[in-house]
Amino acid sequence: MLYIVGHKNPDTDSICSSIVLSHFLDAIPARLGDLNPESEFILKRFGVMEPELITSAEGKELILVDHSEKSQSLEDIDKGRIIGIIDHHKVGITTSEPIIYIAKPLGSTATIVGELYFKGMMEFIGGKNRELKGDLAGLLLSAIISDTVLFKSPTTTNTDKDIAERLAKIAGIEDINAYGMEILKAKSTVGSMKPEEIVNLDYKEFNFNGKKIGIGQVEVIDINEIESKKEEIYSVLEEKINKGYDLILFLITDIMKEGSEVLVLGNREAFERTFNVELKDKSIFLEGVMSRKKQVVPPLERYYKNK
Ligand code: MG
Ligand code: MG
Ligand code: MG
């Protein structure tokens, strides 16, 4: 059976892309962890069931969405058979067999799924050119809004905006901005979450030149919502750092200020050199930095490669 699955610590893009693609590919939508409050809000809003939780790849055919790095996938991913990847991150895998690989530098995987649909290309990736109904269009729209932080993230492209508008029409959403603010508010229920939950909400692991790096992120409308929890978040990360990490970063991204407060643990020099800053404290505010994928991962990986 074919499963379509997003990354660990699933976000809205992983969840919604897996659900919508499954509709076209007769596959089972799957997830690798609990839904975050934002995704919960969105699935409820459109009355769609959550994907199935899976814990092993054994005996499964898989299409990965919204990631390609093994460190972000099932622990035993090698026991399954990856037949495809649809993603908007850097290429993070080599495979022993030929696979379907569709990746574009767009704001979300959902944008690619939307584009495949509007271009009538579902058959091209082994699916059927079925209709996209309002509820599923709403999921894709929500994922685009979430990943691009309502089109504010520097990862946003004109294609994201264009596909979002077309999806909004199908979903019957007249005011994308007003709906986007609803989503961002659902995101910012973090104020009432435990620090461990906040850390794991959107935490990703990377391997840069043999070194294990962890980068977490939380997006808030106002940093003050979370300011009082900064110390506790730092303590949670301190427990993690000894588990083989060279560096852990945690980005508290302020959507309105358009920048991120970055907590830094471990190899502080790597961080300082990469971002050309001097760390005087446990954290530093980086103006304009909103995207892990585009503004944090590439320079950091370059640093580790050239060291
Ligand atoms: Mg994602
Ligand atoms: Mg994504
Ligand atoms: Mg994100």
Side-chain angles (χ1 to χ4, degrees), residues 203-226:
Y203 184 85
K204 287 184 181 174
E205 239 177 68
F206 299 88
N207 182 324
F208 296 156
N209 207 8
K211 293 273 201 288
K212 187 159 103 165
I213 315 294
I215 311 175
Q217 183 173 29
V218 62
E219 287 143 347
V220 290
I221 293 180
D222 176 0
I223 274 186
N224 292 322
E225 290 167 40
I226 216 174

PDB file of all heavy atoms in Angstrom, residues 203-226:
ATOM      1  N   TYR A 203      10.759  21.153  15.148  1.00  0.00           N
ATOM      2  CA  TYR A 203      12.177  20.931  15.408  1.00  0.00           C
ATOM      3  C   TYR A 203      12.739  19.998  14.355  1.00  0.00           C
ATOM      4  O   TYR A 203      12.170  18.936  14.103  1.00  0.00           O
ATOM      5  CB  TYR A 203      12.342  20.319  16.807  1.00  0.00           C
ATOM      6  CG  TYR A 203      13.781  20.129  17.218  1.00  0.00           C
ATOM      7  CD1 TYR A 203      14.497  21.176  17.789  1.00  0.00           C
ATOM      8  CD2 TYR A 203      14.414  18.915  17.028  1.00  0.00           C
ATOM      9  CE1 TYR A 203      15.818  21.008  18.161  1.00  0.00           C
ATOM     10  CE2 TYR A 203      15.738  18.741  17.395  1.00  0.00           C
ATOM     11  CZ  TYR A 203      16.438  19.792  17.958  1.00  0.00           C
ATOM     12  OH  TYR A 203      17.735  19.614  18.318  1.00  0.00           O
ATOM     13  N   LYS A 204      13.829  20.396  13.709  1.00  0.00           N
ATOM     14  CA  LYS A 204      14.403  19.570  12.646  1.00  0.00           C
ATOM     15  C   LYS A 204      15.870  19.294  12.890  1.00  0.00           C
ATOM     16  O   LYS A 204      16.588  20.135  13.398  1.00  0.00           O
ATOM     17  CB  LYS A 204      14.256  20.269  11.286  1.00  0.00           C
ATOM     18  CG  LYS A 204      12.836  20.266  10.773  1.00  0.00           C
ATOM     19  CD  LYS A 204      12.747  20.870   9.402  1.00  0.00           C
ATOM     20  CE  LYS A 204      11.301  20.873   8.943  1.00  0.00           C
ATOM     21  NZ  LYS A 204      11.137  21.573   7.673  1.00  0.00           N
ATOM     22  N   GLU A 205      16.264  18.098  12.481  1.00  0.00           N
ATOM     23  CA  GLU A 205      17.649  17.695  12.630  1.00  0.00           C
ATOM     24  C   GLU A 205      18.344  17.682  11.283  1.00  0.00           C
ATOM     25  O   GLU A 205      17.756  17.276  10.285  1.00  0.00           O
ATOM     26  CB  GLU A 205      17.668  16.267  13.177  1.00  0.00           C
ATOM     27  CG  GLU A 205      18.397  16.151  14.485  1.00  0.00           C
ATOM     28  CD  GLU A 205      18.294  14.736  14.990  1.00  0.00           C
ATOM     29  OE1 GLU A 205      18.879  13.847  14.359  1.00  0.00           O
ATOM     30  OE2 GLU A 205      17.612  14.557  15.999  1.00  0.00           O
ATOM     31  N   PHE A 206      19.602  18.117  11.285  1.00  0.00           N
ATOM     32  CA  PHE A 206      20.385  18.130  10.045  1.00  0.00           C
ATOM     33  C   PHE A 206      21.741  17.483  10.278  1.00  0.00           C
ATOM     34  O   PHE A 206      22.223  17.432  11.410  1.00  0.00           O
ATOM     35  CB  PHE A 206      20.600  19.574   9.564  1.00  0.00           C
ATOM     36  CG  PHE A 206      19.321  20.295   9.250  1.00  0.00           C
ATOM     37  CD1 PHE A 206      18.636  20.989  10.239  1.00  0.00           C
ATOM     38  CD2 PHE A 206      18.781  20.264   7.973  1.00  0.00           C
ATOM     39  CE1 PHE A 206      17.433  21.642   9.963  1.00  0.00           C
ATOM     40  CE2 PHE A 206      17.591  20.913   7.681  1.00  0.00           C
ATOM     41  CZ  PHE A 206      16.915  21.606   8.681  1.00  0.00           C
ATOM     42  N   ASN A 207      22.325  17.012   9.199  1.00  0.00           N
ATOM     43  CA  ASN A 207      23.682  16.495   9.249  1.00  0.00           C
ATOM     44  C   ASN A 207      24.533  17.343   8.309  1.00  0.00           C
ATOM     45  O   ASN A 207      24.393  17.278   7.099  1.00  0.00           O
ATOM     46  CB  ASN A 207      23.677  15.025   8.795  1.00  0.00           C
ATOM     47  CG  ASN A 207      25.062  14.413   8.870  1.00  0.00           C
ATOM     48  OD1 ASN A 207      26.065  15.068   8.607  1.00  0.00           O
ATOM     49  ND2 ASN A 207      25.120  13.148   9.240  1.00  0.00           N
ATOM     50  N   PHE A 208      25.379  18.199   8.900  1.00  0.00           N
ATOM     51  CA  PHE A 208      26.249  19.055   8.095  1.00  0.00           C
ATOM     52  C   PHE A 208      27.677  18.534   8.216  1.00  0.00           C
ATOM     53  O   PHE A 208      28.312  18.699   9.251  1.00  0.00           O
ATOM     54  CB  PHE A 208      26.200  20.516   8.566  1.00  0.00           C
ATOM     55  CG  PHE A 208      24.852  21.169   8.404  1.00  0.00           C
ATOM     56  CD1 PHE A 208      24.498  22.260   9.198  1.00  0.00           C
ATOM     57  CD2 PHE A 208      23.941  20.719   7.455  1.00  0.00           C
ATOM     58  CE1 PHE A 208      23.258  22.881   9.046  1.00  0.00           C
ATOM     59  CE2 PHE A 208      22.699  21.340   7.303  1.00  0.00           C
ATOM     60  CZ  PHE A 208      22.358  22.423   8.100  1.00  0.00           C
ATOM     61  N   ASN A 209      28.134  17.919   7.155  1.00  0.00           N
ATOM     62  CA  ASN A 209      29.518  17.448   7.117  1.00  0.00           C
ATOM     63  C   ASN A 209      29.838  16.549   8.320  1.00  0.00           C
ATOM     64  O   ASN A 209      30.868  16.696   8.968  1.00  0.00           O
ATOM     65  CB  ASN A 209      30.459  18.662   7.066  1.00  0.00           C
ATOM     66  CG  ASN A 209      31.775  18.332   6.394  1.00  0.00           C
ATOM     67  OD1 ASN A 209      31.936  17.241   5.832  1.00  0.00           O
ATOM     68  ND2 ASN A 209      32.723  19.249   6.467  1.00  0.00           N
ATOM     69  N   GLY A 210      28.911  15.657   8.641  1.00  0.00           N
ATOM     70  CA  GLY A 210      29.138  14.695   9.720  1.00  0.00           C
ATOM     71  C   GLY A 210      28.762  15.196  11.111  1.00  0.00           C
ATOM     72  O   GLY A 210      28.819  14.457  12.079  1.00  0.00           O
ATOM     73  N   LYS A 211      28.357  16.457  11.214  1.00  0.00           N
ATOM     74  CA  LYS A 211      27.967  17.016  12.513  1.00  0.00           C
ATOM     75  C   LYS A 211      26.443  17.095  12.622  1.00  0.00           C
ATOM     76  O   LYS A 211      25.762  17.456  11.668  1.00  0.00           O
ATOM     77  CB  LYS A 211      28.553  18.425  12.674  1.00  0.00           C
ATOM     78  CG  LYS A 211      30.071  18.449  12.771  1.00  0.00           C
ATOM     79  CD  LYS A 211      30.501  18.260  14.220  1.00  0.00           C
ATOM     80  CE  LYS A 211      31.906  18.758  14.480  1.00  0.00           C
ATOM     81  NZ  LYS A 211      32.956  17.933  13.905  1.00  0.00           N
ATOM     82  N   LYS A 212      25.946  16.730  13.805  1.00  0.00           N
ATOM     83  CA  LYS A 212      24.491  16.781  14.013  1.00  0.00           C
ATOM     84  C   LYS A 212      24.087  18.171  14.518  1.00  0.00           C
ATOM     85  O   LYS A 212      24.623  18.654  15.504  1.00  0.00           O
ATOM     86  CB  LYS A 212      24.093  15.706  15.031  1.00  0.00           C
ATOM     87  CG  LYS A 212      22.590  15.559  15.192  1.00  0.00           C
ATOM     88  CD  LYS A 212      22.230  14.202  15.787  1.00  0.00           C
ATOM     89  CE  LYS A 212      21.887  14.337  17.256  1.00  0.00           C
ATOM     90  NZ  LYS A 212      21.206  13.149  17.808  1.00  0.00           N
ATOM     91  N   ILE A 213      23.152  18.773  13.797  1.00  0.00           N
ATOM     92  CA  ILE A 213      22.680  20.117  14.130  1.00  0.00           C
ATOM     93  C   ILE A 213      21.171  20.061  14.314  1.00  0.00           C
ATOM     94  O   ILE A 213      20.470  19.425  13.525  1.00  0.00           O
ATOM     95  CB  ILE A 213      22.975  21.118  12.968  1.00  0.00           C
ATOM     96  CG1 ILE A 213      24.389  20.958  12.410  1.00  0.00           C
ATOM     97  CG2 ILE A 213      22.677  22.555  13.382  1.00  0.00           C
ATOM     98  CD1 ILE A 213      25.498  21.315  13.331  1.00  0.00           C
ATOM     99  N   GLY A 214      20.669  20.699  15.338  1.00  0.00           N
ATOM    100  CA  GLY A 214      19.218  20.787  15.539  1.00  0.00           C
ATOM    101  C   GLY A 214      18.766  22.228  15.365  1.00  0.00           C
ATOM    102  O   GLY A 214      19.405  23.139  15.890  1.00  0.00           O
ATOM    103  N   ILE A 215      17.704  22.435  14.605  1.00  0.00           N
ATOM    104  CA  ILE A 215      17.168  23.796  14.451  1.00  0.00           C
ATOM    105  C   ILE A 215      15.655  23.769  14.644  1.00  0.00           C
ATOM    106  O   ILE A 215      14.927  23.177  13.849  1.00  0.00           O
ATOM    107  CB  ILE A 215      17.496  24.420  13.071  1.00  0.00           C
ATOM    108  CG1 ILE A 215      18.992  24.266  12.748  1.00  0.00           C
ATOM    109  CG2 ILE A 215      17.081  25.892  13.044  1.00  0.00           C
ATOM    110  CD1 ILE A 215      19.374  24.744  11.353  1.00  0.00           C
ATOM    111  N   GLY A 216      15.217  24.385  15.722  1.00  0.00           N
ATOM    112  CA  GLY A 216      13.781  24.479  15.988  1.00  0.00           C
ATOM    113  C   GLY A 216      13.284  25.878  15.679  1.00  0.00           C
ATOM    114  O   GLY A 216      14.064  26.822  15.575  1.00  0.00           O
ATOM    115  N   GLN A 217      11.983  25.995  15.511  1.00  0.00           N
ATOM    116  CA  GLN A 217      11.419  27.319  15.219  1.00  0.00           C
ATOM    117  C   GLN A 217       9.997  27.401  15.744  1.00  0.00           C
ATOM    118  O   GLN A 217       9.245  26.428  15.708  1.00  0.00           O
ATOM    119  CB  GLN A 217      11.417  27.569  13.701  1.00  0.00           C
ATOM    120  CG  GLN A 217      10.907  28.967  13.322  1.00  0.00           C
ATOM    121  CD  GLN A 217      11.066  29.276  11.844  1.00  0.00           C
ATOM    122  OE1 GLN A 217      11.049  28.375  10.996  1.00  0.00           O
ATOM    123  NE2 GLN A 217      11.218  30.542  11.512  1.00  0.00           N
ATOM    124  N   VAL A 218       9.657  28.554  16.246  1.00  0.00           N
ATOM    125  CA  VAL A 218       8.258  28.811  16.579  1.00  0.00           C
ATOM    126  C   VAL A 218       7.931  30.208  16.062  1.00  0.00           C
ATOM    127  O   VAL A 218       8.768  31.109  16.112  1.00  0.00           O
ATOM    128  CB  VAL A 218       7.994  28.672  18.103  1.00  0.00           C
ATOM    129  CG1 VAL A 218       8.784  29.678  18.914  1.00  0.00           C
ATOM    130  CG2 VAL A 218       6.512  28.770  18.414  1.00  0.00           C
ATOM    131  N   GLU A 219       6.752  30.343  15.468  1.00  0.00           N
ATOM    132  CA  GLU A 219       6.371  31.638  14.917  1.00  0.00           C
ATOM    133  C   GLU A 219       5.273  32.251  15.784  1.00  0.00           C
ATOM    134  O   GLU A 219       4.268  31.591  16.056  1.00  0.00           O
ATOM    135  CB  GLU A 219       5.873  31.467  13.471  1.00  0.00           C
ATOM    136  CG  GLU A 219       7.016  31.183  12.506  1.00  0.00           C
ATOM    137  CD  GLU A 219       6.647  30.195  11.413  1.00  0.00           C
ATOM    138  OE1 GLU A 219       5.593  29.532  11.515  1.00  0.00           O
ATOM    139  OE2 GLU A 219       7.434  30.064  10.467  1.00  0.00           O
ATOM    140  N   VAL A 220       5.489  33.457  16.224  1.00  0.00           N
ATOM    141  CA  VAL A 220       4.494  34.115  17.081  1.00  0.00           C
ATOM    142  C   VAL A 220       4.152  35.491  16.524  1.00  0.00           C
ATOM    143  O   VAL A 220       4.951  36.103  15.814  1.00  0.00           O
ATOM    144  CB  VAL A 220       5.001  34.252  18.544  1.00  0.00           C
ATOM    145  CG1 VAL A 220       5.066  32.898  19.223  1.00  0.00           C
ATOM    146  CG2 VAL A 220       6.349  34.940  18.598  1.00  0.00           C
ATOM    147  N   ILE A 221       2.955  35.954  16.853  1.00  0.00           N
ATOM    148  CA  ILE A 221       2.558  37.276  16.381  1.00  0.00           C
ATOM    149  C   ILE A 221       3.321  38.338  17.179  1.00  0.00           C
ATOM    150  O   ILE A 221       3.617  39.411  16.698  1.00  0.00           O
ATOM    151  CB  ILE A 221       1.022  37.456  16.489  1.00  0.00           C
ATOM    152  CG1 ILE A 221       0.338  36.499  15.502  1.00  0.00           C
ATOM    153  CG2 ILE A 221       0.608  38.894  16.209  1.00  0.00           C
ATOM    154  CD1 ILE A 221      -1.163  36.552  15.485  1.00  0.00           C
ATOM    155  N   ASP A 222       3.660  38.005  18.405  1.00  0.00           N
ATOM    156  CA  ASP A 222       4.346  38.956  19.271  1.00  0.00           C
ATOM    157  C   ASP A 222       5.265  38.169  20.223  1.00  0.00           C
ATOM    158  O   ASP A 222       4.810  37.296  20.940  1.00  0.00           O
ATOM    159  CB  ASP A 222       3.275  39.736  20.055  1.00  0.00           C
ATOM    160  CG  ASP A 222       3.889  40.694  21.050  1.00  0.00           C
ATOM    161  OD1 ASP A 222       5.126  40.761  21.143  1.00  0.00           O
ATOM    162  OD2 ASP A 222       3.110  41.392  21.720  1.00  0.00           O
ATOM    163  N   ILE A 223       6.548  38.487  20.194  1.00  0.00           N
ATOM    164  CA  ILE A 223       7.533  37.749  20.992  1.00  0.00           C
ATOM    165  C   ILE A 223       7.191  37.753  22.484  1.00  0.00           C
ATOM    166  O   ILE A 223       7.485  36.812  23.205  1.00  0.00           O
ATOM    167  CB  ILE A 223       8.973  38.291  20.747  1.00  0.00           C
ATOM    168  CG1 ILE A 223       9.577  37.587  19.518  1.00  0.00           C
ATOM    169  CG2 ILE A 223       9.883  38.040  21.952  1.00  0.00           C
ATOM    170  CD1 ILE A 223      11.024  37.901  19.239  1.00  0.00           C
ATOM    171  N   ASN A 224       6.518  38.795  22.929  1.00  0.00           N
ATOM    172  CA  ASN A 224       6.176  38.879  24.356  1.00  0.00           C
ATOM    173  C   ASN A 224       5.330  37.701  24.834  1.00  0.00           C
ATOM    174  O   ASN A 224       5.362  37.347  26.008  1.00  0.00           O
ATOM    175  CB  ASN A 224       5.446  40.195  24.655  1.00  0.00           C
ATOM    176  CG  ASN A 224       6.394  41.369  24.476  1.00  0.00           C
ATOM    177  OD1 ASN A 224       7.575  41.280  24.816  1.00  0.00           O
ATOM    178  ND2 ASN A 224       5.889  42.445  23.902  1.00  0.00           N
ATOM    179  N   GLU A 225       4.581  37.094  23.899  1.00  0.00           N
ATOM    180  CA  GLU A 225       3.764  35.934  24.264  1.00  0.00           C
ATOM    181  C   GLU A 225       4.618  34.821  24.849  1.00  0.00           C
ATOM    182  O   GLU A 225       4.137  33.977  25.576  1.00  0.00           O
ATOM    183  CB  GLU A 225       3.109  35.324  23.006  1.00  0.00           C
ATOM    184  CG  GLU A 225       2.036  36.157  22.380  1.00  0.00           C
ATOM    185  CD  GLU A 225       1.714  35.617  20.992  1.00  0.00           C
ATOM    186  OE1 GLU A 225       1.677  34.388  20.826  1.00  0.00           O
ATOM    187  OE2 GLU A 225       1.505  36.440  20.090  1.00  0.00           O
ATOM    188  N   ILE A 226       5.871  34.805  24.472  1.00  0.00           N
ATOM    189  CA  ILE A 226       6.706  33.660  24.768  1.00  0.00           C
ATOM    190  C   ILE A 226       7.926  34.055  25.600  1.00  0.00           C
ATOM    191  O   ILE A 226       8.642  33.225  26.127  1.00  0.00           O
ATOM    192  CB  ILE A 226       7.104  32.989  23.421  1.00  0.00           C
ATOM    193  CG1 ILE A 226       7.173  31.475  23.567  1.00  0.00           C
ATOM    194  CG2 ILE A 226       8.336  33.559  22.854  1.00  0.00           C
ATOM    195  CD1 ILE A 226       7.413  30.795  22.230  1.00  0.00           C
TER     196      ILE A 226
END
